[in-house]
Amino acid sequence: MKSLFCILIVFGAFILPLSAAHIRGGELYYKYLGNGSAANTSKYLVTLKLYIDCGQNSEGQLEEQVPITIFSLPGNTQYSYVRTANMVKEQFIRYDPNSNPCITNPPLDVCYRLRYFETTIELPDSEDGYVLSFQRCCRIENIKNMVTPSDDYGATYLCQIPGKNSLPGAPKNSSPLYNTNDAVAICVGSGFLFDFSAVDPEGDSLSYRLCNAYLGGGPGNGRDCLNCPTPNPAGKPPYQSIPYSVPYTGTQPLGVNISIDSKTGIITGIAPNTLGQFVVTACVDEYRNGILINTHRKDIHIKVSDCNPLKAKLDPDYSYCESLEVSFRNKQVNPTGSVYTWDFGDGSAPQTSTNPVGMIQHQYADSGTYTVKLKVVLAGQCVDSTSTEARVYPGFYPGFTSNGSCLYSPFSFTDTTKSRYGVAAKWKWDFGDETTKADTSDLQNPKWTYSSLGLKNVRLIVASDKGCRDTVPLTVEVKEKPDLFVPFTDTLICDIDTLQLQANGTGVFSWFPQANIFGENSASPIVFPKSTTTYTVSLTDQACVATQNIRVRVVSEVTLNAGADTTICATDSIRFSPSGDGLQFTWTANPAAPIKNATDKNAVSVPSGTTRYHVIARIGKCFKEDDLEVYTVPYPIVNAGNDTTICYKDTAFLHGYTNGSSFRWEPLSSLGNDNTLEPYSFSTKTVVYALYGYDTLGCPKPGIDQVRVTVRPEIFANAGNDTAIVKGQPLQLQGSGSDFFEWTPVIGLNFASIANPVALINESKQFAMRTFTVEGCFDMDTINIQVFQTLPDIFVPNAFVPGGRNNELRPKPVGLSSIDFFRVFNRWGQLVFQTKQIGQGWNGTVNGVLQASGAYVWMISGTDFTGKKVFKKGTAALIR
């Protein structure tokens, strides 16, 4: 059979903008229009339908023209020149999530952008037929049934015009027309239907099958490039299949669980359990009078979405081992309005539930194994059902214990499971040994030896012969040796004393040496050595042994030195630091003085005057005494003077006093005459000075006093900008600076001692404003008010010279409370400046660019103090 094919190739997205991944399928088909203009020729309308990603908006990927290459069969040689097909229309087709009430969380992104390209061609009636071809890159990324990266590969879409050798009159043929209902919802792991059916204009017989999608194009460049995003001309047939990823093929593009009906073109089956896009290509064979004259193809990307059709879904069996009252639920949320009907298999009446997952409770009268049936109905049109087995045997209590603690010694695990019905029959142990994968057992009471230290998460899965099953976790610790703790490792006793040693742990104790000891095999023996001795305790737990040493030093007398007599400042405390080997201490004072922690070696006391302290040091029954004299001397008297406040950049004079023999001030950076008791401060910010007084009477610390010099912030008086008003216009002044205000002259002002008085004057005048603090700090400013003897108006200069005296085109509003706008236009009517702020003007530039000399038009609108609008316009010359 001779035939003509039309091909489209789509290329990879990562090299050129034109090759970005966006193609989601395509079909090339033709319609016979009648005889051509020459004898023995036929005329065809060729249409290319491209499926584009709906989110694609790049102009470089939405071409307006496409090249169509024609090949003559059987040699696949190019016929004539490449034809250009122009885009004639486009449409968007989307899946309507409200179209199927039987689907929960329907997909919202199933969408195709269809672009149609058409051209009319005339071809001689060939014996063998023709192939028409278009190639384009690239397919979208992450296609699940293609090897990665899928967006490196293009696509070839083709159609075939038969020759006369297949059947007389075969060239007078039109392509079968595929159904266009492509935007459908296909849910992961669920049954579905996809319509690849077609209608033949001539009434020919059609047979459907799944076939390979074709490659085409690529990320290359250059003229006559077959690896370019859009090869022109296209590569000649035959074409290679796309590389399918395992386990998918062209005939099984969605796996082994789907098939196409050869008579209807309907694909049915179970969708893959993988979410994402899949390439699916259908071929329809066209038969006329029992003879195959044409094979037509359609390539489309089908999306498997995360949605759930109405479904009754249960596990194969359930075990209820805690109570005769059990709960059932569907394993999937179905659409609102779904009605669940449960048959519990115990002869009781069926019950219904409208819970989103059909949640329901049922009380069985007795234990047993029951067949439970579930039926789900939605709106009378969606129905599904399933069944399961319920084993109801309450009273199952799993558990286990462990015995062991040491590395390389076996741990014993004992199952303690109890069951009211039946017995524990199956065990699966996981000993949590990270050094091996063989740390399991199916014995009831196994043993395991660990080869690494640390916490091990042991898990037992136990099941009864009635189907009850549960998991019990337990954490055990593998140690190098048993835990052995002693409260001290070195101590001191007198040779006439006894001492009770102490050890803590689990196991068998033994002590060595065994001389001068009672209870040598207990955790707390009593020892009475006559010389320094080191005792060793051993703790044995199974085959593991831990040891600890305790040194018992023995003396015949106590050594003690309370320390040298000392002098401290009155009201200070003293911390005692005696030397010697005593273990317990007792301190007393004469005359009495408070002592903190009087039984501590380093007790603390605050004597009120010269005091003698007595200390007793003990080791068991042995003791020794000593005394310490503490003398107290008062601190030097110091007075830094009274706090004061000064104005910014003023000077403060300090007046200090001390009865000490020497003194010093801090900090010194802002003090003058700091070597006297009456220095002066020139600080510009608030500062605290400290005066230190020293003497030679015995108190080793200085007396200290502080004085604060508060510096008021600098005052910046602002009476407002000079302004102009008209006669009879009230003007509210806006002064600022400090706490209090005083305006002069007072004539013409409603108040002279506030920040914002109202001025009502009939002639130009200058007001002076003094602003001050309660301490007398002040600053002054003036404002000049020009009074025009006119109505409210706006004055604009007729010329300005940037950089000169009149360097801005600035309006001067008189009697206006606000400006609506001030705009400047060049001679072409372009806006070069605008503002709403009084006092702002144009400096002769636009975005920093100097404008040419010449005439400029200005317009201004404002509102006067009575609320009346004022509008003016005119021209001004820019002079450079």
Side-chain angles (χ1 to χ4, degrees):
M1 177 193 71
K2 309 294 184 179
S3 59
L4 168 64
F5 291 87
C6 303
I7 305 169
L8 165 64
I9 302 185
V10 183
F11 286 79
F14 63 97
I15 299 298
L16 298 171
L18 291 179
S19 63
H22 64 291
I23 298 297
R24 294 185 61 183
E27 179 189 1
L28 192 61
Y29 56 92
Y30 60 91
K31 177 181 180 182
Y32 174 68
L33 299 178
N35 295 329
S37 58
N40 298 316
T41 62
S42 295
K43 188 176 183 180
Y44 303 93
L45 175 64
V46 178
T47 303
L48 170 65
K49 179 170 68 173
L50 282 183
Y51 291 77
I52 307 296
D53 191 316
C54 280
Q56 183 53 251
N57 293 309
S58 173
E59 293 182 2
Q61 296 155 10
L62 300 175
E63 51 272 269
E64 296 297 321
Q65 295 179 329
V66 296
I68 305 294
T69 307
I70 305 173
F71 298 95
S72 296
L73 296 175
N76 295 322
T77 58
Q78 182 176 337
Y79 173 81
S80 187
Y81 59 92
V82 175
R83 310 302 170 90
T84 297
N86 297 312
M87 195 190 80
V88 294
K89 67 175 181 177
E90 77 171 1
Q91 67 179 126
F92 289 81
I93 58 174
R94 293 179 172 87
Y95 172 73
D96 181 1
N98 299 315
S99 62
N100 188 349
C102 300
I103 294 181
T104 305
N105 63 304
L108 304 178
D109 58 352
V110 177
C111 177
Y112 299 97
R113 184 176 188 173
L114 303 184
R115 293 171 63 83
Y116 294 85
F117 302 83
E118 290 183 355
T119 186
T120 301
I121 62 174
E122 290 188 11
L123 296 173
D125 294 337
S126 166
E127 299 295 325
D128 298 304
Y130 301 90
V131 169
L132 279 69
S133 173
F134 172 77
Q135 299 181 317
R136 183 71 163 92
C137 191
C138 293
R139 296 181 185 270
I140 63 175
E141 64 181 350
N142 200 26
I143 298 175
K144 299 304 180 181
N145 61 349
M146 287 183 65
V147 298
T148 57
S150 63
D151 53 343
D152 257 6
Y153 300 98
T156 296
Y157 306 116
L158 55 92
C159 65
Q160 168 185 332
I161 298 178
K164 294 185 290 186
N165 283 342
S166 62
L167 194 70
K172 303 182 186 303
N173 185 59
S174 298
S175 300
L177 299 176
Y178 277 107
N179 168 58
T180 59
N181 185 24
D182 299 310
V184 299
I186 299 178
C187 299
V188 62
S190 301
F192 75 97
L193 178 150
F194 192 90
D195 188 358
F196 264 114
S197 64
V199 176
D200 188 77
E202 289 81 22
D204 294 332
S205 298
L206 303 179
S207 179
Y208 303 89
R209 55 189 170 89
L210 296 173
C211 50
N212 290 339
Y214 287 150
L215 288 175
N221 271 305
R223 186 176 179 85
D224 300 327
C225 169
L226 291 180
N227 194 37
C228 292
T230 308
N232 186 4
K236 67 178 183 178
Y239 300 105
Q240 294 183 351
S241 168
I242 64 171
Y244 288 93
S245 60
V246 178
Y248 304 104
T249 64
T251 57
Q252 294 181 341
L254 295 169
V256 298
N257 294 321
I258 67 104
S259 61
I260 188 169
D261 189 310
S262 62
K263 295 182 179 180
T264 65
I266 304 298
I267 293 180
T268 57
I270 304 298
N273 289 318
T274 301
L275 298 173
Q277 300 279 347
F278 292 78
V279 179
V280 179
T281 302
C283 288
V284 54
D285 295 323
E286 182 181 358
Y287 291 87
R288 184 175 297 173
N289 300 327
I291 298 174
L292 177 65
I293 65 168
N294 180 26
T295 297
H296 189 55
R297 305 168 57 84
K298 178 180 177 180
D299 178 317
I300 190 170
H301 295 183
I302 293 177
K303 182 176 183 182
V304 176
S305 302
D306 184 17
C307 52
N308 296 312
L310 182 83
K311 192 170 186 64
K313 190 174 182 180
L314 300 172
D315 286 335
D317 59 76
Y318 293 85
S319 295
Y320 298 96
C321 304
E322 296 180 358
S323 172
L324 292 174
E325 184 178 25
V326 302
S327 296
F328 294 99
R329 63 183 299 272
N330 196 46
K331 292 191 68 178
Q332 173 180 300
V333 177
N334 283 316
T336 302
S338 299
V339 178
Y340 298 81
T341 302
W342 296 90
D343 183 338
F344 302 107
D346 60 351
S348 62
Q351 297 183 33
T352 61
S353 171
T354 56
N355 180 273
V357 290
M359 180 74 73
I360 200 166
Q361 289 185 322
H362 181 67
Q363 177 76 43
Y364 283 98
D366 199 358
S367 59
T369 300
Y370 303 93
T371 299
V372 178
K373 299 177 181 179
L374 170 62
K375 180 179 180 181
V376 187
V377 179
L378 176 61
Q381 55 181 319
C382 309
V383 181
D384 196 24
S385 61
T386 187
S387 62
T388 186
E389 191 175 75
R391 299 185 179 97
V392 184
Y393 295 99
F396 185 65
Y397 309 103
F400 70 93
T401 60
S402 69
N403 185 21
S405 64
C406 291
L407 190 68
Y408 304 123
S409 294
F411 278 64
S412 297
F413 298 95
T414 303
D415 173 37
T416 60
T417 301
K418 294 178 173 55
S419 181
R420 180 180 177 185
Y421 297 97
V423 296
K426 294 181 180 179
W427 302 266
K428 181 64 177 179
W429 296 86
D430 181 343
F431 301 115
D433 192 335
E434 73 281 0
T435 65
T436 177
K437 293 183 179 181
D439 60 332
T440 61
S441 175
D442 56 5
L443 299 177
Q444 181 177 9
N445 300 309
K447 294 184 178 182
W448 183 258
T449 301
Y450 292 95
S451 57
S452 64
L453 301 172
L455 298 175
K456 313 297 177 181
N457 296 316
V458 183
R459 186 180 64 174
L460 168 63
I461 302 176
V462 57
S464 73
D465 57 356
K466 296 298 185 182
C468 291
R469 177 187 176 95
D470 205 349
T471 301
V472 186
L474 181 67
T475 299
V476 300
E477 184 176 7
V478 181
K479 306 173 184 176
E480 186 176 4
K481 53 189 177 182
D483 288 334
L484 175 60
F485 173 76
V486 293
F488 55 86
T489 58
D490 195 320
T491 190
L492 185 66
I493 66 172
C494 195
D495 59 5
I496 61 174
D497 290 333
T498 61
L499 174 68
Q500 186 172 40
L501 303 179
Q502 185 69 46
N504 296 305
T506 301
V508 177
F509 293 93
S510 62
W511 296 81
F512 182 84
Q514 296 186 351
N516 300 323
I517 186 172
F518 294 128
E520 62 271 16
N521 294 321
S522 69
S524 52
I526 296 176
V527 297
F528 43 94
K530 299 305 177 185
S531 61
T532 298
T533 303
T534 297
Y535 290 92
T536 300
V537 57
S538 297
L539 176 63
T540 303
D541 182 9
Q542 298 186 45
C544 303
V545 179
T547 61
Q548 284 275 21
N549 293 326
I550 300 177
R551 181 186 180 207
V552 180
R553 292 178 289 120
V554 180
V555 296
S556 58
E557 63 177 353
V558 180
T559 61
L560 174 64
N561 183 352
D565 295 345
T566 187
T567 299
I568 65 173
C569 297
T571 71
D572 278 2
S573 64
I574 181 172
R575 179 180 293 273
F576 304 119
S577 299
S579 62
D581 55 6
L583 298 181
Q584 294 90 32
F585 295 83
T586 302
W587 293 88
T588 56
N590 185 23
I595 301 176
K596 185 177 180 180
N597 300 323
T599 57
D600 285 358
K601 181 178 182 180
N602 302 111
V604 176
S605 180
V606 181
S608 58
T610 298
T611 304
R612 175 171 291 277
Y613 291 93
H614 182 72
V615 60
I616 302 174
R618 294 183 175 82
I619 301 176
K621 299 174 182 176
C622 302
F623 67 93
K624 193 169 185 179
E625 300 176 276
D626 197 10
D627 292 316
L628 169 67
E629 191 85 16
V630 177
Y631 303 94
T632 60
V633 176
Y635 275 93
I637 298 173
V638 176
N639 185 347
N642 297 325
D643 295 343
T644 187
T645 299
I646 62 175
C647 299
Y648 183 76
K649 289 189 176 181
D650 276 359
T651 300
F653 292 92
L654 308 184
H655 305 281
Y657 168 80
T658 180
N659 66 349
S661 58
S662 62
F663 64 88
R664 64 182 175 90
W665 292 90
E666 285 187 359
L668 300 177
S669 58
S670 57
L671 281 180
N673 294 336
D674 56 84
N675 58 351
T676 72
L677 286 172
E678 295 194 354
Y680 60 89
S681 169
F682 50 86
S683 177
T684 56
K685 59 183 179 180
T686 298
V687 62
V688 175
Y689 295 100
L691 176 61
Y692 298 82
Y694 302 86
D695 65 19
T696 57
L697 301 179
C699 177
K701 297 180 183 180
I704 304 172
D705 192 24
Q706 293 180 331
V707 59
R708 173 183 290 272
V709 176
T710 301
V711 180
R712 290 299 302 258
E714 185 176 5
I715 300 173
F716 297 95
N718 184 359
N721 296 326
D722 293 346
T723 187
I725 61 175
V726 296
K727 181 179 179 180
Q729 177 188 351
L731 176 65
Q732 184 165 39
L733 305 181
Q734 297 291 342
S736 63
S738 190
D739 304 329
F740 304 98
F741 297 86
E742 182 180 74
W743 295 83
T744 57
V746 299
I747 298 174
L749 299 178
N750 62 338
F751 293 102
S753 59
I754 62 175
N756 54 348
V758 175
L760 187 60
I761 56 180
N762 294 323
E763 58 185 9
S764 299
K765 181 175 290 191
Q766 182 187 75
F767 287 98
M769 182 196 75
R770 179 175 180 268
T771 178
F772 55 96
T773 68
V774 69
E775 295 86 8
C777 306
F778 72 93
D779 192 22
M780 297 189 68
D781 193 21
T782 61
I783 180 173
N784 294 303
I785 304 172
Q786 186 176 9
V787 180
F788 286 80
Q789 306 297 320
T790 67
L791 295 175
D793 202 350
I794 304 172
F795 300 97
V796 181
N798 58 9
F800 69 106
V801 182
R805 181 177 180 183
N806 186 21
N807 64 349
E808 283 190 346
L809 181 59
R810 183 187 306 113
K812 185 171 185 178
V814 177
L816 267 67
S817 59
S818 64
I819 288 182
D820 301 325
F821 62 83
F822 173 59
R823 296 169 182 159
V824 183
F825 302 85
N826 62 19
R827 62 180 178 176
W828 294 285
Q830 296 172 322
L831 180 68
V832 297
F833 176 78
Q834 66 175 343
T835 184
K836 293 182 179 180
Q837 299 296 321
I838 294 177
Q840 287 187 353
W842 182 44
N843 63 2
T845 66
V846 176
N847 296 325
V849 178
L850 298 177
Q851 299 301 292
S853 297
Y856 289 81
V857 176
W858 55 264
M859 296 181 182
I860 187 167
S861 175
T863 304
D864 69 13
F865 70 94
T866 66
K868 181 181 177 181
K869 290 290 184 179
V870 180
F871 174 80
K872 296 187 73 174
K873 63 181 179 179
T875 61
L878 167 59
I879 302 173
R880 294 194 183 277

